[in-house]
Amino acid sequence: ISIANPAAVNTDIMLSISPYEPGELVTSIYDATGKKVYELTTVIKNRDAVMLTLKKPVSAKGIYLVKNILNNKFIETRKIVVE
């Protein structure tokens, strides 16, 4: 996972992802208290890099965790700071 643009309040966040295999990718964002604030499910058709656009997922400044789970077995988590 890599963030393709700065994370800002009430703006889209773009993620670049290189999947390990085709299947279902669940992207979730959690706030500092562990509350889920956003979720997006994407079907991955092949192992090519994918650009995901999260539509205005965060409405307050702070530190968030972005968790991607591919096929319920590959998990990657990144911390982002939203300005």
Side-chain angles (χ1 to χ4, degrees):
I1 303 171
S2 61
I3 306 293
N5 63 325
V9 172
N10 292 320
T11 61
D12 295 350
I13 296 175
M14 297 177 67
L15 303 176
S16 176
I17 298 174
S18 297
Y20 300 108
E21 62 186 36
E24 183 178 82
L25 175 70
V26 178
T27 302
S28 303
I29 298 180
Y30 297 87
D31 66 14
T33 68
K35 179 183 172 193
K36 186 187 302 182
V37 296
Y38 184 86
E39 184 170 279
L40 174 69
T41 301
T42 307
V43 174
I44 304 296
K45 296 181 181 179
N46 54 44
R47 295 180 71 181
D48 294 340
V50 175
M51 188 65 104
L52 294 180
T53 300
L54 310 181
K55 296 290 185 180
K56 299 182 182 180
V58 178
S59 61
K61 292 181 180 183
I63 297 173
Y64 293 84
L65 291 178
V66 178
K67 182 183 277 190
N68 288 87
I69 302 173
L70 179 61
N71 295 331
N72 288 320
K73 61 182 176 180
F74 299 109
I75 300 171
E76 194 167 355
T77 304
R78 292 283 187 262
K79 179 176 78 171
I80 61 171
V81 178
V82 177
E83 296 290 320

